[in-house]
Amino acid sequence: MVLTNGFNRLKLGESLSFFIFLCKTKLTMKKTWKWGILAPGRIARKFASELQTLDNAKIVAVGSRDKSRSDEFASEFGVEKVYGSYEELAADPDVEVVYVASPHSHHAEHAIMCMNQGKHVLCEKALSLNLPEVISMFEAARKNDVFLMEAFVTPFQPSYRKAKEIIESGEMGKIQYLHGWFGFNTAPYDPQGRLFNPELGGGSLLDIGLYAVFDALWFLGAPQNIAAVGALTESGIDTSLTMRFDYPNGVFASLYSSFYTASGPGCDIFCEKGVLRISRRGILHQQLETRSRGTDPIRYSWEEAECGMKLEAVEVMKCLDEGKTESEVMPYSRSFELMKTLDAVREKAGIHYPGRG
């Protein structure tokens, strides 16, 4: 028997094989997700440059309150649709996923606006300024049946995954002490700038200190007790911050963040049988070193393609391909615990945001 309709006179057996091949090809082909960039600043440019290396992602629109900034971004990244407001970007029917990169103080407002338009959202860390706002974001995602994830780069990096694998294997023994830090000294003091303005959620804690906090939560879980003291500006914003998290059996974590030290980011994990150090020279250069008594250090490093902010986007699109509205790597519960802890740190250190706690 020969089929002539659509199969170009292939024999029946050949036709069935070809049909099965087409079905399998369709199932395995990745959908190309159309992204919009909300607030095209420095961090958005880093994200966009990595996003463009993924074959299943396309930036189709960019929105800024200053259209000239959108024009500049569009020219740099070859984006066709340019908007002079966030509202226009959120309403664009072609945009499927929005990367929200506005200041912390506006994350909840902008993410919820996009989700109410039916967009999936990857929202920069910190997810918002406080826990009630974070909960309102979760509620908006559920109400609109859309995906929401905090763009927290740490849990996707191979260095952190490998370190956790080593610790959970038991080969280094139990964790006794953790020291996490992040500092840079390239930001001149500007009380109206994003880093120092309390109205924008400024301060080292929400900008870089939360990485050290995440280290403690990732490897040790929620602490029993928190102490914190900061070097505060006249407006009550922390330029530097020291934290201590206490755990059962005398285990504790000391954490540090500062706009005035050139330490960069890192984490030392002291275990019964050795020490692990996680560090990086830029987000694309992840490193892990393990040291045990009587043995030479073991050093791990990864290629640029295995690291970076793009891994957040990979997770988003993987979840969307699978019909999920929440990531298993960075679920709501992890963002909830992180913000709950950050709120507790702020209370202990006396850091307050006007009208927001």
Side-chain angles (χ1 to χ4, degrees), residues 163-217:
K164 197 161 192 178
E165 175 189 318
I166 292 171
I167 290 170
E168 290 179 347
S169 74
E171 63 183 87
M172 301 292 280
K174 294 180 180 179
I175 298 175
Q176 300 298 306
Y177 168 63
L178 182 147
H179 177 48
W181 66 91
F182 199 145
F184 62 81
N185 64 351
T186 58
Y189 178 64
D190 176 5
Q192 299 304 313
R194 180 187 66 83
L195 292 179
F196 300 96
N197 189 339
E199 298 285 349
L200 299 178
S204 73
L205 176 62
L206 288 193
D207 192 66
I208 53 178
L210 75 178
Y211 286 107
V213 171
F214 187 92
D215 291 346
L217 298 180

Side-chain angles (χ1 to χ4, degrees), residues 139-297:
E139 291 173 343
R142 293 189 177 108
K143 181 187 73 174
N144 292 289
D145 193 30
V146 293
F147 182 89
L148 168 66
M149 190 181 85
E150 182 174 8
F152 208 98
V153 72
T154 299
F156 300 99
Q157 302 313 303
S159 55
Y160 275 81
R161 290 176 171 272
K162 183 62 178 179
K164 197 161 192 178
E165 175 189 318
I166 292 171
I167 290 170
E168 290 179 347
S169 74
E171 63 183 87
M172 301 292 280
K174 294 180 180 179
I175 298 175
Q176 300 298 306
Y177 168 63
L178 182 147
H179 177 48
W181 66 91
F182 199 145
F184 62 81
N185 64 351
T186 58
Y189 178 64
D190 176 5
Q192 299 304 313
R194 180 187 66 83
L195 292 179
F196 300 96
N197 189 339
E199 298 285 349
L200 299 178
S204 73
L205 176 62
L206 288 193
D207 192 66
I208 53 178
L210 75 178
Y211 286 107
V213 171
F214 187 92
D215 291 346
L217 298 180
W218 180 251
F219 292 109
L220 290 170
Q224 289 184 327
N225 185 61
I226 293 174
V229 60
L232 306 184
T233 67
E234 65 277 4
S235 60
I237 288 303
D238 60 299
T239 58
S240 298
L241 185 67
T242 300
M243 299 160 273
R244 173 176 168 137
F245 290 2
D246 292 323
Y247 294 87
N249 302 316
V251 176
F252 71 97
S254 65
L255 313 171
Y256 178 73
S257 62
S258 177
F259 290 148
Y260 296 131
T261 61
S263 64
C267 179
D268 284 341
I269 308 164
F270 294 81
C271 302
E272 294 170 309
K273 301 178 183 179
V275 182
L276 298 87
R277 167 165 286 193
I278 304 171
S279 60
R280 58 181 166 94
R281 296 179 296 105
I283 197 64
L284 295 176
H285 301 92
Q286 302 287 327
Q287 300 169 332
L288 170 65
E289 179 180 287
T290 64
R291 289 178 282 121
S292 300
R293 178 179 294 180
T295 64
D296 293 331

Side-chain angles (χ1 to χ4, degrees), residues 78-152:
V79 179
E80 293 182 5
K81 296 188 177 184
V82 180
Y83 296 114
S85 74
Y86 300 145
E87 291 78 9
E88 290 176 288
L89 174 71
D92 186 328
D94 287 337
V95 174
E96 297 172 298
V97 191
V98 177
Y99 172 67
V100 174
S102 50
H104 316 309
S105 54
H106 290 72
H107 283 177
E109 173 192 349
H110 295 153
I112 290 173
M113 175 185 68
C114 291
M115 290 187 287
N116 284 342
Q117 291 281 358
K119 312 303 184 189
H120 305 292
V121 170
L122 175 63
C123 182
E124 256 307 324
K125 57 79 188 165
L127 199 50
S128 193
L129 288 190
N130 55 50
L131 191 57
E133 292 182 4
V134 165
I135 292 173
S136 71
M137 297 168 75
F138 297 156
E139 291 173 343
R142 293 189 177 108
K143 181 187 73 174
N144 292 289
D145 193 30
V146 293
F147 182 89
L148 168 66
M149 190 181 85
E150 182 174 8
F152 208 98

